């Protein structure tokens, strides 16, 4: 018998029993029945050719289900759900995040500095730390407040094109042929 045939035979022989056991135990473990069933199948198929496997398939299935339930309960004790709408962690004070954000700001300011005259002045004014209003920016640049929106849009398009040209294509991952 081929290895694949043994797995199929095991699946057909134990399918109903595994599904029933997983469905019965899933609620108490706080997991989805399908997830528990999948974990049990993985455990059964990994250990199908071992001398320690009991001859009684029902006992073997029950033992596998209970072992997976114990694992799920242990995992549930340590895992906590994220607060509703919250982020997966407090990254605000993370040194990596601070460094990455500083590098992004430097790259953005460098790209803005390479823009043509009026665009450079407009976006530098918009990136000012004191967060100026459109009226203040228009007064500083000597232009009408109504023309800031369209000009801002054109300048941001120019900046996007410039930054897109600088982005390096990602490297291939995995096995290469």
């Amino acid at each position: 018998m081929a290895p694949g045939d043994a797995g199929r035979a095991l699946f057909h022989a134990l399918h109903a029993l595994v599904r029933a056991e997983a469905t019965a135990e899933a609620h108490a473990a706080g997991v989805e029945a399908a997830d528990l069933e999948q974990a049990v199948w993985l455990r059964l198929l990994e250990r199908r050719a071992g001398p320690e496997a009991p001859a009684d398939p029902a006992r073997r299935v029950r033992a596998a289900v209970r072992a997976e339930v114990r694992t799920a309960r242990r995992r549930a004790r340590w895992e906590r759900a994220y607060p509703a709408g919250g982020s997966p962690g407090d990254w605000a004070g993370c040194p990596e995040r601070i460094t990455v954000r500083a590098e992004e700001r430097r790259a953005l300011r460098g790209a803005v500095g390479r823009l043509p005259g009026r665009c450079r002045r407009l976006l530098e004014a918009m990136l000012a730390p004191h967060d100026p209003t459109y009226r203040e920016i228009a007064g500083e640049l000597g232009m009408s407040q109504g023309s800031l929106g369209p000009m801002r849009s054109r300048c941001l398009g120019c900046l996007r094109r410039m930054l897109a040209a600088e982005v390096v294509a990602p490297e291939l991952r995995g096995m290469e042929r």
Side-chain angles (χ1 to χ4, degrees):
M1 184 184 292
D5 294 339
R8 279 191 281 279
L10 179 68
F11 176 78
H12 289 299
L14 300 177
H15 177 69
L17 182 60
V18 169
R19 176 158 288 169
E21 287 286 333
T23 302
E25 295 285 339
H27 181 68
V31 295
E32 296 284 329
D35 292 341
L36 182 58
E37 184 179 348
Q38 183 178 10
V40 168
W41 276 116
L42 184 62
R43 182 180 289 261
L44 289 173
L45 292 173
E46 281 177 342
R47 298 185 183 196
R48 73 169 172 222
E52 73 280 349
D56 183 13
R59 177 176 288 161
R60 184 175 173 197
V61 167
R62 273 189 241 110
V65 169
R66 289 193 179 119
E68 288 302 323
V69 165
R70 281 191 303 275
T71 302
R73 284 185 182 146
R74 203 173 305 121
R75 191 179 319 115
R77 270 195 300 262
W78 293 103
E79 292 179 355
R80 298 287 176 244
Y82 297 136
S87 68
D90 181 20
W91 295 98
C94 174
E96 285 181 43
R97 181 66 53 105
I98 292 168
T99 304
V100 167
R101 284 190 181 149
E103 184 61 34
E104 288 171 348
R105 281 192 302 274
R106 274 192 293 275
L108 178 63
R109 293 218 179 259
V112 167
R114 292 190 310 270
L115 286 170
R118 292 184 75 180
C119 284
R120 179 179 54 240
R121 289 183 26 224
L122 173 66
L123 292 182
E124 282 175 350
M126 290 188 148
L127 290 172
H130 63 278
D131 197 25
T133 64
Y134 265 37
R135 179 177 289 183
E136 294 169 344
I137 293 172
E140 181 182 323
L141 298 177
M143 52 192 309
S144 71
Q145 188 175 340
S147 65
L148 280 180
M151 185 174 172
R152 173 185 153 267
S153 179
R154 284 191 303 273
C155 292
L156 288 176
C158 183
L159 182 63
R160 272 189 215 99
R161 285 188 301 276
M162 181 187 303
L163 290 175
E166 293 177 4
V167 174
V168 177
E171 294 180 16
L172 293 175
R173 295 184 182 197
M175 296 183 65
E176 297 179 30
R177 294 184 183 190

